Amino acid sequence: MGIPGTGARRRHTRAAPTVLSAALVLLAAGCVPGTDGSGAAGPGTGAATAVPDPAKAGKVTLTVWDQEIRGGTNGELEQLNKEFQRKYPNVRIKRVARGFTDLKTTLKLAVSGNHPPDVIQANQGYPDMVSFVRAGLLAPLDNQAGIYDWNTRYPNTLLNLNRVSADGTDFGTGRLYGISQTGEYIGLYYNKDLLKKAGLEPPETWRDFTDGLAKLKGRGELPVQFGNLDKYPAIHTFGVLQGQVDGAGTRDTVLGRGDGFDTAATKDAAATLTDWTKRGYLPKGANGLGYDDAAKKFASGDGAYLLTGTWQLADLKKTMGDKLGLMPPPPAKAGGDPVTTGGQGLAWSITSRSRHPEVAAAYLDFITNAHAADVMTRHGVLPAVPGRAAAEVAPDTVDGQMVDGWKRLSAADGLVPYLDYSTPTFYDTLSAALQGVVSGKTSPEKLATTLQKDYGAFMAQQRERHTAKPDPAGTE
């Protein structure tokens, strides 16, 4: 998902999330970026062999649907949109910006309607991107990836997250259907003042963190701010907890080759979430508190910690200033490698019936190039491939902490894909089941069997589709 949550760019080489690389390179074995053996061009992509000039496209209105409504991402995108229109005065960008949940609910209807947007942000994985591709709603971008040099701008690991097989059944391999602007990970935000008052330091280990929760509760502070009315926040929190138990196994399961979800890691993570609720480490009635409202409460001093994505940094910093700190969830051992949920932001895709695919491709290139990466950094946003501006960020600032965390996670192979990528129905299954865990109505065992029922059925379907492949694990 990625709001998610889930890169930097240009020709610079950079450390890629090797976590994902190890997984996805295998999925995409034999696939050279920009080609998948099925032909580069496809419906709606045109067949350009050189960079087209939008200035020669005549008067164009480019309709763009995105979910970048937060302070930092909205700011950088507004700036880049103005710059693009200034560069190409014949192009007007008609922007429709909606929150993640709203976009997810309305996007398929918009894309399949009589007047589809030209550019959309599509969530990676089976629920959205793969289903859109299967329905013929997105244009493959392999041709554009070649002429705009996206194949070398991005690490394969990030490109592969935006690939879908030519038959529209497999995620992580095949044609390219989008590129992402931002990198993102679920981090541990903390209020420096509240920790200091409690005699706590930013935790060096996961044990330090969990032991501190009791101390904060004992002082009458809310240890962890959390709102799950929008359903997806629990996916992020649960993903972090599961990653602490078995990050590598979880990653393999999301990518279709692990042990499934009826595992000790799933039950242990759910048990921790249940325990935090019972102990009052999370707000009472968290299922009735909105995600944004919870973030505002944390920013106002209600809660010592907040587990959420790097996309929140700019808004939180605006209110909290120097009180705000950020780190990847601390490792099991001091100095150990961090692990968390993340990868890259939602993919920017071109719809198959766009009337202006070449202008749309130029727009995608513009909002993801080296200049765009620096604009993002200046707005407090983490680019998928951090550039010059990110290298100049002071390391003792919260922005510097964000960039440092991204580097450490990438170097440590510590990024685990969002769990909702797993099956076409997993977002709904997982978010509903986790609401039950948060409310205390669903046991860890019930959660595990519910998730495995969804996952196992889909893996069985995949096995039938790929009878030549070994049976995916976790389908028994």
Side-chain angles (χ1 to χ4, degrees), residues 98-379:
R98 301 186 170 190
F100 174 78
T101 303
D102 192 14
L103 184 76
K104 188 174 177 63
T105 302
T106 58
L107 191 57
K108 188 170 186 178
L109 183 61
V111 175
S112 59
N114 293 329
H115 304 287
D118 298 287
V119 174
I120 64 169
Q121 275 192 289
N123 197 15
Q124 294 91 342
Y126 288 102
D128 292 342
M129 181 177 279
V130 175
S131 68
F132 290 172
V133 170
R134 189 177 301 166
L137 299 175
L138 298 184
L141 302 179
D142 303 88
N143 192 45
Q144 289 85 348
I147 64 174
Y148 283 106
D149 216 13
W150 297 340
N151 294 326
T152 53
R153 175 182 299 176
Y154 288 93
N156 286 353
T157 52
L158 298 186
L159 290 173
N160 287 341
L161 283 174
N162 293 325
R163 293 189 184 280
V164 178
S165 63
D167 61 359
T169 59
D170 292 311
F171 158 62
T173 183
R175 291 177 168 177
L176 184 70
Y177 283 94
I179 55 175
S180 298
Q181 245 200 334
T182 60
E184 58 188 39
Y185 61 87
I186 305 301
L188 182 66
Y189 291 96
Y190 55 92
N191 184 316
K192 295 178 182 177
D193 284 358
L194 292 186
L195 293 191
K196 185 176 181 180
K197 289 177 181 177
L200 297 172
E201 296 289 335
E204 294 185 1
T205 67
W206 185 254
R207 184 65 176 270
D208 290 343
F209 167 60
T210 55
D211 285 351
L213 300 182
K215 191 169 185 178
L216 288 161
K217 181 64 179 176
R219 288 179 50 85
E221 300 286 355
L222 175 64
V224 182
Q225 187 54 264
F226 174 65
N228 195 43
L229 179 63
D230 303 271
K231 296 184 179 179
Y232 64 78
I235 296 176
H236 299 160
T237 302
F238 178 76
V240 168
L241 298 176
Q242 195 174 29
Q244 287 292 322
V245 181
D246 185 9
T250 302
R251 179 190 63 211
D252 284 348
T253 289
V254 173
L255 297 173
R257 60 162 192 262
D259 295 330
F261 283 94
D262 191 3
T263 63
T266 300
K267 296 171 188 175
D268 287 352
T272 298
L273 192 56
T274 300
D275 183 60
W276 284 8
T277 302
K278 288 181 177 178
R279 292 177 183 270
Y281 293 170
L282 303 177
K284 187 176 182 181
N287 280 337
L289 178 63
Y291 171 76
D292 288 326
D293 290 335
K296 290 176 182 175
K297 282 177 174 287
F298 171 75
S300 68
D302 186 4
Y305 294 107
L306 179 70
L307 274 167
T308 192
T310 46
W311 54 82
Q312 276 283 7
L313 182 139
D315 285 342
L316 293 173
K317 185 178 65 174
K318 187 176 181 180
T319 303
M320 299 178 69
D322 293 339
K323 296 179 183 177
L324 181 65
L326 171 65
M327 63 170 67
K333 296 181 180 179
D337 292 335
V339 176
T340 192
T341 299
Q344 60 184 343
L346 266 64
W348 292 81
S349 302
I350 300 175
T351 59
S352 60
R353 290 187 292 134
S354 168
R355 295 176 58 193
H356 313 288
E358 292 188 344
V359 177
Y363 175 73
L364 262 57
D365 185 69
F366 189 84
I367 64 171
T368 59
N369 64 22
H371 168 69
D374 288 345
V375 170
M376 284 181 255
T377 297
R378 294 183 186 113
H379 281 269

